[in-house]
Amino acid sequence: ATFFVASLIHVPIGPGNVLLLLTGLLGILLGWSCFPTILIALFLQALFFSFGGLTVLGANTTIMALPALFCPSLFTNLIQKGGTARRLGAFGAGFFSILFSSLLMATALIVSDRGFISSAKMIVAMYIPIMILEGFITMFIVAFLAKVQPEFITIHKS
């Protein structure tokens, strides 16, 4: 539900809009289950709100779910330690999941047509503020969950 609602929020940056995704948090909380979660959320958004689209559902799911799964694994040791290390690990998971998603999206655009190189660069640049924002949101949510429901903060091994 968090991913579904967060990705409906469009943040105007530069000539376009970027989306909140919270995929780093999704990876921390769900592990491999982030794949079907993202797929279902994107399918429902395409169906109900005409966001994304059914023809690019597989590409969008892969672009978001691979970093959601991979990035929290990079920061497992920090997140499991607690304290400041947990906050830094959670920030890193949130930040880098968006960085890698934007790079995957840029790569998909460039592979489809070399004419998209400048657009791909602009997309990655537009997501920089979202990377920082998602890092902080993930950090605060993980710190809160560690206090009230610490069993939620276990990294699911990929």
Side-chain angles (χ1 to χ4, degrees), residues 87-112:
R87 288 190 290 276
L88 288 173
F91 180 89
F95 180 92
F96 285 104
S97 68
I98 302 305
L99 173 63
F100 293 150
S101 286
S102 66
L103 291 173
L104 282 172
M105 181 174 29
T107 303
L109 285 172
I110 292 168
V111 167
S112 69

Side-chain angles (χ1 to χ4, degrees), residues 32-112:
W32 277 100
S33 298
C34 69
F35 272 93
T37 302
I38 290 172
L39 175 66
I40 291 167
L42 292 177
F43 175 75
L44 292 174
Q45 286 178 356
L47 196 64
F48 295 139
F49 303 110
S50 298
F51 289 163
L54 296 176
T55 58
V56 293
L57 190 57
N60 285 342
T61 300
T62 303
I63 286 169
M64 293 178 205
L66 280 179
L69 184 64
F70 178 67
C71 289
S73 297
L74 290 175
F75 298 98
T76 299
N77 293 334
L78 289 174
I79 293 171
Q80 299 296 12
K81 284 183 183 177
T84 303
R86 174 176 286 142
R87 288 190 290 276
L88 288 173
F91 180 89
F95 180 92
F96 285 104
S97 68
I98 302 305
L99 173 63
F100 293 150
S101 286
S102 66
L103 291 173
L104 282 172
M105 181 174 29
T107 303
L109 285 172
I110 292 168
V111 167
S112 69

Side-chain angles (χ1 to χ4, degrees), residues 7-26:
S7 60
L8 290 174
I9 299 171
H10 294 248
V11 180
I13 295 179
N17 292 315
V18 293
L19 309 170
L20 291 174
L21 299 175
L22 300 179
T23 52
L25 180 64
L26 216 61

